[in-house]
Amino acid sequence: ATGVSPIGVTLPCGTGKVYTSDEGANRMTVIDAGTGSPLRSIDMGPLPHHLMASRNGKRIYVAEFGHNQVGVIDTELDARVDGLIASPLANARTHAVWVTRNGAYLYATNSRANRAEIGDVAKLNLRTGERCNTMVGADPSEILVTGDSRSAYVSVRRENKVKELDVTGEC
């Protein structure tokens, strides 16, 4: 059992735990991967959505679609330890996240409360906290970054396109 409307699920490396983002309950559920038993829940910001664990399994990054933030979960504490601003715009809605293999950067797609408005992709430096946002089109949804961290692919719903971004620079 999870909270209401689970949407994301991950099994971080080395944890032995499954995490779900329960959008309708504004929380995450932690499940023992061996037994399937719920262990606890973690309160989140509004509408926790797509999520991704860091390669080492120590952090989970959760897009919070009810506002412009990414929740950060510590998998040892099973607690939300931070909230990263993914867009400077108050009407932004963070939809999906991607962490680079080396753990240096987090990318997040941000649509708007009015999804016909132009949205952006955030590039957050997880070591320095610096953030840069690039406008990509109306209603960006998912993102993935190539293994060499040179390109990112973003699905843009209202344009029926996947856009390729060069992510080698600061922005």
Side-chain angles (χ1 to χ4, degrees):
T2 66
V4 177
S5 299
I7 189 165
V9 63
T10 190
L11 174 65
C13 180
T15 64
K17 297 178 278 190
V18 173
Y19 294 79
T20 66
S21 55
D22 307 333
E23 188 177 54
N26 295 332
R27 71 176 201 193
M28 293 183 67
T29 300
V30 183
I31 299 166
D32 183 296
T35 66
S37 299
L39 299 172
R40 66 190 49 87
S41 63
I42 303 168
D43 290 334
M44 297 297 295
L47 305 175
H49 214 61
H50 298 291
L51 50 87
M52 185 174 183
S54 61
R55 191 172 175 123
N56 65 10
K58 293 183 179 189
R59 295 278 189 266
I60 301 170
Y61 298 93
V62 186
E64 295 177 340
F65 195 60
H67 61 175
N68 61 344
Q69 292 191 30
V70 175
V72 182
I73 303 299
D74 180 308
T75 59
E76 287 183 25
L77 301 174
D78 283 337
R80 186 178 194 272
V81 294
D82 202 358
L84 306 172
I85 302 295
S87 176
L89 301 175
N91 72 340
R93 302 295 181 257
T94 305
H95 187 264
V97 293
W98 188 276
V99 184
T100 57
R101 285 186 180 180
N102 65 4
Y105 293 96
L106 172 91
Y107 292 85
T109 57
N110 298 294
S111 61
R112 301 289 177 253
N114 172 355
R115 293 170 82 170
E117 293 179 9
I118 301 299
D120 65 78
V121 168
K123 179 179 183 178
L124 294 104
N125 184 318
L126 292 173
R127 295 185 178 114
T128 67
E130 293 178 30
R131 183 196 71 239
C132 175
N133 294 75
T134 301
M135 303 309 274
V136 293
D139 205 12
S141 183
E142 305 300 316
I143 185 164
L144 70 84
V145 178
T146 58
D148 62 6
S149 296
R150 300 185 60 76
S151 298
Y153 294 92
V154 182
S155 58
V156 183
R157 288 185 194 191
R158 294 204 180 232
E159 297 179 20
N160 299 318
K161 293 181 179 178
V162 170
K163 296 187 177 183
E164 180 181 15
L165 304 177
D166 175 349
V167 294
T168 58
E170 288 303 310
C171 191

